Amino acid sequence: MLKIATIGSHSALQILKGAKDEGFSTILISTQKQAKIYTELFPIADEVITLDSYTNFFDVEDYLISQEAVIVPHGSFVAYLDQAKHDLMRVKYFGNKDILKWESSRQKQMQWLQQAGLYLPKIFTDYREVDCPVIVKLYGAGGGQGYFVVTCKEQLEQEVAKRQLDLSQVLIQEYILGCPVYIHYFYSSILNRLEILSLDRRYETNVDGLGRLNHQTQAILQPEPSFVVIGNSPLVIRESLLADLYDMGQRVVAVSKEICPPRGLYGPFCLETIVTPDQKFYVIEISARIVAGTNLFIQGSPYAELLFSEPMSTGRRIARELKLALAANRLEEVV
Amino acid sequence: MLKIATIGSHSALQILKGAKDEGFSTILISTQKQAKIYTELFPIADEVITLDSYTNFFDVEDYLISQEAVIVPHGSFVAYLDQAKHDLMRVKYFGNKDILKWESSRQKQMQWLQQAGLYLPKIFTDYREVDCPVIVKLYGAGGGQGYFVVTCKEQLEQEVAKRQLDLSQVLIQEYILGCPVYIHYFYSSILNRLEILSLDRRYETNVDGLGRLNHQTQAILQPEPSFVVIGNSPLVIRESLLADLYDMGQRVVAVSKEICPPRGLYGPFCLETIVTPDQKFYVIEISARIVAGTNLFIQGSPYAELLFSEPMSTGRRIARELKLALAANRLEEVV
Amino acid sequence: MLKIATIGSHSALQILKGAKDEGFSTILISTQKQAKIYTELFPIADEVITLDSYTNFFDVEDYLISQEAVIVPHGSFVAYLDQAKHDLMRVKYFGNKDILKWESSRQKQMQWLQQAGLYLPKIFTDYREVDCPVIVKLYGAGGGQGYFVVTCKEQLEQEVAKRQLDLSQVLIQEYILGCPVYIHYFYSSILNRLEILSLDRRYETNVDGLGRLNHQTQAILQPEPSFVVIGNSPLVIRESLLADLYDMGQRVVAVSKEICPPRGLYGPFCLETIVTPDQKFYVIEISARIVAGTNLFIQGSPYAELLFSEPMSTGRRIARELKLALAANRLEEVV
């Protein structure tokens, strides 16, 4: 019998709980610092393996293989174990590793989304062409660290000088004024259907606390916004907009099969959007795997409730997909 | 056996799911554009009928009648099928159609709420009397489209000129500074009791994204707020305030029996309020039927949990009411 | 058999529901004004006793004792019945009354949290030493009433004069710019384990509505922020931060055993924090009992779901703890 394994961070609790609810045994690999989350606070994994550092991941790979473990990757997993390490990995892995190349390069990501016909903010490869407010994102920065907003090219130049930034290491993206909406999809290659399981918006410090200062106080304090993700809060979307969301997801999956043939993107993914007053969804990023906003829905969500007769988190949905694949004798299509 | 029918938008998924949970068959009527929400994404209706346009609704009315369908109306239903069309409708309908006259006229609506003794923002029928910040709402505008805020009469005049507005087609309402709270009531005429099932606040673009821009950036960009509803997020209210909420709802129901005798308002309704720092609930609008904010609670809500031993959405509560009416042989009181 | 009793406000509905789910009978003591919440709107208590005023609490104490009632205190309970009244109380009481001395004095509270090594905002006992933006909190003010923010000493002096404040009756606390996060802990002395059950952020009028006004409008209206709590909305936290949250809770419990030996703090408590962009949790307050934000989770929470196979609110967790204590014949350790 397969076991489900992941590393201790991001959405591991949800993945472990979902696996358990679907009848799988679980293995959690953690650093010493984080281990108590999984051994003391929420001791739900069947086995916890601690490492000094994730660079030692390969020390346990043979053991994982011997246990018939399937790795369920999440945002921290791909942050700690890069493309090169993914290429070396021999243990079973839920999801298409090739898609990582398309996700980890901002250019390729934008090409993918563009080909899918989605609304995208402008990307400035040459900062001198900036002609609108932009948000500057550091490559590889985890959770919004170091992001900043400027209103024009001149302010951008000042900030780049002040922060001593290497412009080749940043993404300069048109700042879209609107409301953030993160859409949690699941594409089941076994059932050949696209699901929308839930929605969230991020909770970012200090930018989500700024509005609590009035104009007079801000004029004195001149607060600098920052975009460090510390959590998430739940949303539902206007029902008539679900048709757009479904289209967007379908096109992303369809194009993924062209760029990463034959399997393309399957399992959970997320379109991170800003919705403008004309109800357009500008996609600022795609995550080609489970996102942390799904942690809100460990007990299920309003949308998942429509599809399943049980509380179905994204973590559980992954385990369910593995179960469906096993039952259909099609496991090799998803791992 | 009755079937439950509605049109495909707004809170149809919740209504369908609730009907199913209470054992009813369901019919969903949809335009072609939206149909895939109900046929592919969340295929939970027993039958989906597609129309080119809702103006063709009457083409299917005989069929609905033959199926013993009860229409459950929602915000989009009354937007697409106006008072005149409601008067022509012969199919069974959950709710009091007469109340629509009171809801669809801003003047009559304010008269109703005033008679119920609720706190109301001032309404300016003559724009020249404006002496405070106001929000200007376009009649018949769906989901907050075109709303704007001005701080004084002079600014109002400028905006009216700039936007080429017909002042007879707008509501000029005192802008109340506070926090939005939407209260989801259900008045059961069968059980003769008023319930509070849940609460939400709307998620409006771009006004709920504005606070993420600091003062310096706003000073440069001069963003115009807009109030287009794209979703909802959940809330609970301070427990001691529930007594006020209950009073408000009771008075609204009591007055409805005077203005629309004998049945008045029954089933779901919503008071859309702004709560000020002195904890007064200013009612900016009433919806005399299910509101989209209840979509958050397809799995039930903290308040519904206190009343029912099962997850009880507003959609399911409607179906439950029909079931109670049928069992008591009192169906003609509610349809 | 024990009964569970509380007074009608704050989180009483949750406590009653949780008690019922664990098989206890319940008694609710209410003022006339609030009684209908518990007799009409949510009639879930087995018995409701009404009082003219909570100053008459002792009139019913003998009856409560005769019923083997255990009081479950909440924020309103300790607001209505002060330390002196607590000292007189003979009825069984869940929680350590001695901890109230540490919680109700701002100085002692800060001493406790400091000893636990938590990040704390600076407290200015002499207003002349103010050298940063501060929030001024009135002692004993319920739910944020009268709080205000100033950016410097001079503005503080102006506000103090304008509001005619007695500086000995206020707390002057460094204003931390970040995002509010309220952490709902439960320390089980019976199981000897610390649990994190849920998280919320408060919904405060008008400060959580301010950001919906743009800069231009604020410049004209010059709105004064106020911090009156009217509700709560749900959150989850970045999973990697759970290790910090767990540490913080453990240290608070450990120090409580030193300052209130031998039992220290047990049962539910809450750390009310502001999270800064460097992901530090500044503790602005501790509540040594159930907080109202837990009302969001009457149906359980994402975190409680990981620990229990049933929906477990904090109110139910209290009842469960009493049940565990009874079963282990250790009731005297918790009441």
Side-chain angles (χ1 to χ4, degrees), chain A residues 10 12-13 17 34 36 38 40 44 203-205 211-212 214-216 221 226 228-233 296 299, chain C residues 133 179-180 201 204 207-208 218 222-223 225 236-240 243 246-247 275-277 299-300 302 305-306:
Chain A
H10 193 273
L13 290 166
K17 178 69 164 65
Q34 302 280 58
K36 67 186 142 196
Y38 308 96
E40 294 179 29
I44 61 172
Y203 193 42
E204 296 171 345
T205 180
R212 289 166 57 96
N214 68 0
H215 155 272
Q216 302 99 293
L221 300 184
S226 57
V228 178
V229 184
I230 52 159
N232 307 80
S233 58
L296 286 159
Q299 292 188 291
Chain C
C179 284
R201 67 173 148 164
E204 297 171 344
V207 79
D208 285 315
Q218 288 203 27
Q222 303 264 333
V236 292
I237 199 93
R238 198 170 178 162
E239 190 159 311
S240 56
Y246 184 56
D247 275 354
V275 191
T276 53
Q299 293 188 290
E305 184 71 14
L306 298 170

Side-chain angles (χ1 to χ4, degrees), chain B residues 172-211:
Chain B
I172 304 173
Q173 194 179 54
E174 178 187 8
Y175 184 84
I176 304 289
L177 181 53
C179 284
V181 172
Y182 286 54
I183 312 155
H184 313 152
Y185 294 96
F186 191 94
Y187 175 63
S188 169
S189 52
I190 299 298
L191 301 179
N192 188 26
R193 77 174 190 190
L194 178 67
E195 301 166 359
I196 293 174
L197 292 181
S198 47
L199 297 162
D200 82 294
R201 66 173 149 162
R202 285 185 172 174
Y203 192 42
E204 297 171 346
T205 179
N206 61 15
V207 78
D208 285 315
L210 275 189

Side-chain angles (χ1 to χ4, degrees), chain A residues 156-219:
Chain A
L156 176 59
E157 286 170 340
Q158 285 167 21
E159 285 295 323
V160 165
K162 199 178 92 185
R163 293 165 190 254
Q164 303 192 287
L165 286 182
D166 175 356
L167 277 171
S168 72
Q169 292 307 306
V170 303
L171 178 81
I172 304 174
Q173 193 179 54
E174 179 187 8
Y175 183 84
I176 305 289
L177 181 53
C179 285
V181 171
Y182 286 55
I183 312 155
H184 313 151
Y185 294 95
F186 189 94
Y187 174 63
S188 168
S189 51
I190 299 298
L191 301 180
N192 187 24
R193 77 176 189 190
L194 178 67
E195 302 166 0
I196 293 175
L197 292 181
S198 46
L199 297 161
D200 82 295
R201 66 173 148 160
R202 285 186 171 174
Y203 193 42
E204 296 171 345
T205 180
N206 62 17
V207 79
D208 285 314
L210 274 189
R212 289 166 57 96
L213 291 175
N214 68 0
H215 155 272
Q216 302 99 293
T217 305
Q218 288 203 25

Side-chain angles (χ1 to χ4, degrees), chain B residues 117-187:
Chain B
L118 306 186
Y119 295 108
L120 301 177
K122 269 194 280 185
I123 302 292
F124 297 93
T125 48
D126 183 342
Y127 83 93
R128 287 164 300 193
E129 291 172 1
V130 165
D131 58 356
C132 62
V134 295
I135 182 163
V136 179
K137 300 176 175 181
L138 279 62
Y139 286 133
Q145 204 92 39
Y147 289 15
F148 62 93
V149 171
V150 292
T151 56
C152 62
K153 187 171 59 182
E154 289 65 35
Q155 200 189 350
L156 175 60
E157 286 169 340
Q158 286 167 21
E159 286 295 322
V160 165
K162 198 178 92 185
R163 293 165 190 253
Q164 302 193 289
L165 286 183
D166 175 356
L167 276 172
S168 72
Q169 293 306 306
V170 302
L171 177 81
I172 304 173
Q173 194 179 54
E174 178 187 8
Y175 184 84
I176 304 289
L177 181 53
C179 284
V181 172
Y182 286 54
I183 312 155
H184 313 152
Y185 294 96
F186 191 94
Y187 175 63

Side-chain angles (χ1 to χ4, degrees), chain A residues 133 179-180 201 204 207-208 215 218 222-223 225 236-240 243 246-247 275 277 299-300 302 305-306, chain B residues 10 12-13 17 34 36 38 40 44 203-205 211-212 214-216 221 226 228-232 295-296 299:
Chain A
C179 285
R201 66 173 148 160
E204 296 171 345
V207 79
D208 285 314
H215 155 272
Q218 288 203 25
Q222 303 265 335
V236 291
I237 199 93
R238 199 171 177 162
E239 188 160 312
S240 56
Y246 184 55
D247 276 353
V275 191
Q299 292 188 291
E305 184 71 15
L306 298 169
Chain B
H10 192 274
L13 290 167
K17 177 68 165 65
Q34 300 280 59
K36 68 185 141 198
Y38 307 97
E40 294 179 32
I44 60 172
Y203 192 42
E204 297 171 346
T205 179
R212 289 166 58 95
N214 68 359
H215 154 273
Q216 302 98 292
L221 300 184
S226 58
V228 177
V229 184
I230 51 158
N232 306 82
N295 290 336
L296 286 158
Q299 292 188 292

Side-chain angles (χ1 to χ4, degrees), chain C residues 68-327:
Chain C
E68 294 189 62
V70 177
I71 292 284
V72 174
H74 49 55
S76 300
F77 190 89
V78 302
Y80 293 135
L81 295 158
D82 63 13
Q83 180 71 47
K85 293 217 175 58
H86 268 69
D87 288 343
L88 292 174
M89 235 176 267
R90 294 164 299 121
V91 60
K92 285 195 178 72
Y93 182 99
F94 179 74
N96 189 342
K97 284 184 202 170
D98 294 339
I99 213 82
L100 191 57
K101 294 187 188 74
W102 286 84
E103 184 199 24
S104 58
S105 150
R106 298 273 188 183
Q107 269 81 6
K108 290 183 92 124
Q109 193 181 114
M110 287 299 139
Q111 186 187 326
W112 174 12
L113 299 175
Q114 206 150 28
Q115 206 172 323
L118 306 186
Y119 294 108
L120 301 177
K122 269 194 279 185
I123 302 292
F124 297 94
T125 48
D126 183 342
Y127 82 93
R128 286 165 301 192
E129 292 172 0
V130 165
D131 57 358
C132 62
V134 294
I135 183 163
V136 180
K137 301 177 175 179
L138 279 62
Y139 285 135
Q145 204 92 40
Y147 288 15
F148 62 94
V149 170
V150 292
T151 55
C152 61
K153 186 171 61 182
E154 288 67 33
Q155 200 188 351
L156 176 60
E157 285 169 341
Q158 285 167 20
E159 286 295 321
V160 165
K162 198 177 92 185
R163 293 165 190 254
Q164 303 194 288
L165 286 183
D166 175 355
L167 277 172
S168 72
Q169 293 306 307
V170 302
L171 178 80
I172 304 173
Q173 195 178 52
E174 179 188 8
Y175 184 84
I176 304 288
L177 182 52
C179 284
V181 172
Y182 287 53
I183 311 155
H184 313 153
Y185 294 95
F186 190 94
Y187 174 64
S188 168
S189 52
I190 299 299
L191 301 180
N192 188 25
R193 77 175 189 189
L194 178 67
E195 301 166 2
I196 293 175
L197 292 180
S198 46
L199 297 162
D200 82 294
R201 67 173 148 164
R202 285 186 171 174
Y203 193 41
E204 297 171 344
T205 179
N206 61 15
V207 79
D208 285 315
L210 274 190
R212 289 167 57 96
L213 291 176
N214 67 359
H215 154 273
Q216 302 98 293
T217 305
Q218 288 203 27
I220 296 165
L221 299 183
Q222 303 264 333
E224 285 277 344
S226 59
F227 299 84
V228 177
V229 184
I230 53 158
N232 307 80
S233 57
L235 281 183
V236 292
I237 199 93
R238 198 170 178 162
E239 190 159 311
S240 56
L241 295 172
L242 283 171
D244 289 343
L245 268 50
Y246 184 56
D247 275 354
M248 289 158 61
Q250 279 189 308
R251 281 184 267 135
V252 163
V253 170
V255 172
S256 79
K257 291 184 185 185
E258 296 170 25
I259 61 177
C260 282
R263 296 196 297 179
L265 173 64
Y266 60 89
F269 66 100
C270 176
L271 293 179
E272 302 164 18
T273 71
I274 306 291
V275 191
T276 53
D278 52 358
Q279 303 186 48
K280 287 191 177 134
F281 290 79
Y282 281 84
V283 179
I284 55 171
E285 203 169 334
I286 181 171
S287 293
R289 62 191 54 71
I290 187 170
V291 287
T294 61
N295 291 335
L296 286 159
F297 304 105
I298 292 182
Q299 293 188 290
S301 82
Y303 297 110
E305 184 71 14
L306 298 170
L307 288 173
F308 300 94
S309 53
E310 303 152 290
M312 185 61 66
S313 69
T314 294
R316 185 172 182 181
R317 185 65 189 83
I318 294 169
R320 173 69 58 92
E321 188 77 356
L322 285 167
K323 220 159 96 174
L324 291 171
L326 280 168

